[in-house]
Amino acid sequence: MLAYLLKRILLMIPTLIGVITLTFVVIQFVPGGPVEQMMMELKGRGGAGEASGGGAEYRGRRGVDPEKIKEIQALYGFDKPPLERYFLMLKRFAQFDLGQSYFQHRSVWELVKSKLPVSVSLGLWTFFLTYLISVPLGISKAIRAGSRFDVVTSIIVLVGYAIPGFVLGVLLLVLFGGGTFVQWFPLRGLTSDNWEQLSLMGKVMDYLWHLVLPITASVVGSFAVVTMLTKNAFLEEIRKQYVLTARAKGLGERRVLWKHVFRNALIPLVTGFPAAFIGAFFTGSLLIETLFSLDGLGLLSYEAVLRRDYPVVLGTLYLFTLIGLVTRLISDVCYVLVDPRIHFEGLHR
């Protein structure tokens, strides 16, 4: 096991470097970089301007003092050759230094930590509600496969899956957020303006009250995948020979289901559990956050791309890629813990 874990950890390094390198190369050819963005702001014109064809100079630089351009290039580190900037970036990342935002004048770590509570609120509630509802529902569907209950619930979860989250969010705002009908829930934010003056129970209720619409818009589309995965996993196990043998020996249906089927059927769910749980801390739906005015990681990444805030783009990409690789390794370890018959040597053959 230790040899396998060491091998996987060593393989993470070239994967991580490859992702960062590809992104770094791409942004070298994207017009409207941070220098041009600053030029446009200094000229008071706003926006990113337009890129002229034929390799001509970016319009944001026209009519600006060349010395001023050099100062801004030095400020952002663009006075150095791309290769030198690339290795400086790798050196910072190796020390877990994600860099400093060009435009928000804060470190990327601080920005991620400041936006994380919003994304955690959305992600964790979506994660827990999805598993708490979908797993029991999937088991019930497997036991009653082919029944009216199975057909009706399949239609419901698939319709929910087919409706985009932001469309459902708009509908919820129109119906329950004061858009056209009633205003039972707030339109924006995670807390009210008078949140600091509320009692402890009042703060909890206010927080949950603000979460109802965005969580509903986020979670409805998540039910189908976990529900159908649970159902199919249980159906596959129920039809196996060892279940027939257990029933032939006179074991009760409940004991067969929970003692023999349950553990084997949970393998595909458990292996995806760590990635889903860790991902809940860093997943942020841009459209949901924008629709309900929630300043989370999704909005941070989107604004960083628009403003060409490269330290934020590359820093968050590095962080999320690293977390993704680690959670994939944890999923493999969970595979073995759930089913000791599986060996590390055979996981990726």
Side-chain angles (χ1 to χ4, degrees):
M1 179 183 293
L2 291 178
Y4 174 81
L5 293 177
L6 180 61
K7 178 182 177 181
R8 286 292 301 276
I9 292 172
L10 292 177
L11 286 175
M12 290 180 187
I13 298 175
T15 303
L16 194 58
I17 293 176
V19 171
I20 296 300
T21 302
L22 181 61
T23 307
F24 182 86
V25 171
V26 169
I27 65 177
Q28 303 307 308
F29 301 97
V30 177
V35 175
E36 288 78 8
Q37 295 271 353
M38 181 59 70
M39 290 297 98
M40 295 299 294
E41 290 185 10
L42 292 177
K43 291 165 64 175
R45 291 167 55 185
E50 299 177 1
S52 56
E57 188 176 23
Y58 188 82
R59 291 184 182 180
R61 298 189 180 188
R62 295 180 181 178
V64 181
D65 184 6
E67 293 298 325
K68 189 66 176 177
I69 295 177
K70 290 181 180 180
E71 290 180 10
I72 297 176
Q73 287 177 333
L75 176 65
Y76 293 148
F78 283 88
D79 56 331
K80 301 180 179 65
L83 192 60
E84 183 178 351
R85 287 189 281 115
Y86 170 75
F87 284 110
L88 287 174
M89 176 191 67
L90 291 184
K91 181 180 178 181
R92 289 199 314 270
F93 286 169
Q95 300 170 350
F96 291 96
D97 179 6
L98 302 184
Q100 194 85 5
S101 170
Y102 287 152
F103 302 103
Q104 302 195 45
H105 308 295
R106 299 170 64 187
S107 70
V108 177
W109 275 114
E110 290 180 357
L111 287 173
V112 170
K113 287 188 291 185
S114 66
K115 310 296 183 182
L116 194 57
V118 173
S119 295
V120 166
S121 295
L122 290 176
L124 282 183
W125 281 108
T126 300
F127 169 80
F128 283 121
L129 288 176
T130 298
Y131 273 82
L132 287 175
I133 295 174
S134 297
V135 172
L137 179 60
I139 295 173
S140 299
K141 286 171 64 63
I143 296 173
R144 302 180 179 93
S147 66
R148 180 178 298 179
F149 170 80
D150 182 29
V151 174
V152 172
T153 53
S154 294
I155 293 174
I156 293 174
V157 297
L158 290 176
V159 168
Y161 181 75
I163 300 176
F166 71 93
V167 174
L168 180 59
V170 172
L171 180 62
L172 292 173
L173 285 176
V174 171
L175 294 177
F176 307 111
T180 302
F181 296 91
V182 296
Q183 188 172 1
W184 291 348
F185 301 99
L187 294 174
R188 57 176 56 90
L190 286 180
T191 57
S192 300
D193 294 335
N194 64 335
W195 193 77
E196 293 294 339
Q197 285 73 45
L198 297 175
S199 63
L200 178 60
M201 183 57 64
K203 290 180 179 180
V204 172
M205 297 305 297
D206 182 73
Y207 167 73
L208 295 176
W209 182 49
H210 280 76
L211 277 177
V212 171
L213 294 187
I215 291 300
T216 302
S218 300
V219 77
V220 168
S222 306
F223 288 146
V225 175
V226 180
T227 299
M228 302 310 292
L229 178 62
T230 304
K231 174 190 172 181
N232 293 334
F234 269 79
L235 280 178
E236 183 180 356
E237 293 298 323
I238 289 173
R239 294 166 180 168
K240 288 186 177 179
Q241 184 63 42
Y242 74 89
V243 176
L244 298 177
T245 303
R247 287 171 175 169
K249 290 182 178 180
L251 294 180
E253 190 67 23
R254 183 180 295 273
R255 186 177 181 184
V256 171
L257 178 64
W258 296 108
K259 185 176 181 180
H260 297 278
V261 175
F262 188 74
R263 180 174 182 178
N264 294 327
L266 279 184
I267 291 177
L269 293 175
V270 170
T271 54
F273 191 90
F277 183 77
I278 299 298
F281 288 88
F282 298 95
T283 54
S285 172
L286 169 63
L287 294 174
I288 296 296
E289 290 180 5
T290 303
L291 184 62
F292 293 96
S293 300
L294 303 174
D295 191 12
L297 292 175
L299 195 58
L300 172 67
S301 301
Y302 176 71
E303 291 177 346
V305 172
L306 285 184
R307 300 199 68 184
R308 308 295 193 266
D309 199 345
Y310 294 148
V312 177
V313 174
L314 290 168
T316 53
L317 177 66
Y318 167 78
L319 178 63
F320 298 159
T321 303
L322 179 61
I323 292 172
L325 292 172
V326 172
T327 52
R328 180 64 184 273
L329 178 59
I330 295 174
S331 296
D332 286 347
V333 174
C334 289
Y335 223 124
V336 176
L337 294 178
V338 172
D339 190 350
R341 296 171 300 176
I342 299 174
H343 299 283
F344 279 114
E345 292 79 6
L347 281 177
H348 292 282
R349 288 180 181 175

